[in-house]
Amino acid sequence: LVRCFDFIPSWRHDDVMVSYAPTGGGIGAHVDNYDVFLVQSSGRRRWSVENRLVSVKEEHSALIPGLDVRVLEDFKASDSWELGPGDMLYLPPRVPHQGVSLSD
């Protein structure tokens, strides 16, 4: 799978991650420090983003306290897309986003 993204310099590669969520599931709005290519392999998921970059300082002051993961408390989506099998969405680093599964 990594070879599909060999147009990105190797120093920008972080990892490849696969996630599964039952209908309605997801981890909540968050920010990643790296390029994210969301490739939907099966099912459907609604991805929402805020059309802005969030600094590390902003992120830390906006987190829901007491969680083991960094979830933003006040996420206001400016755009949303429903991805189906074969669809892809690119997110630059530090763009707030969340995905909610629409099907298993």
Side-chain angles (χ1 to χ4, degrees), residues 1 12 21 30 32 41 50-51 58 62 75 77-78 84 89 97 102:
L1 184 60
R12 299 262 326 240
H30 63 282
D32 292 310
S41 63
E50 279 190 38
N51 190 16
E58 269 185 291
F75 177 74
S78 53
L89 177 64
H97 61 281
L102 303 175

Side-chain angles (χ1 to χ4, degrees), residues 20-93:
Y20 166 80
T23 302
I27 72 158
H30 63 282
V31 175
D32 292 310
N33 292 313
Y34 43 81
D35 297 283
V36 176
F37 291 86
L38 300 163
V39 181
Q40 189 72 28
S41 63
S42 64
R44 302 196 76 71
R45 194 175 286 217
R46 173 160 308 280
W47 288 98
S48 302
V49 301
E50 279 190 38
N51 190 16
R52 67 187 186 106
L53 298 177
V54 174
S55 70
V56 172
K57 185 177 179 179
E58 269 185 291
E59 176 191 6
H60 287 279
S61 68
L63 296 176
I64 297 174
L67 298 181
D68 291 334
V69 293
R70 297 180 345 246
V71 177
L72 300 171
E73 189 165 27
D74 192 28
F75 177 74
K76 292 181 177 65
S78 53
D79 292 291
S80 293
W81 300 272
E82 186 176 314
L83 272 60
D87 292 339
M88 184 180 83
L89 177 64
Y90 167 73
L91 297 170

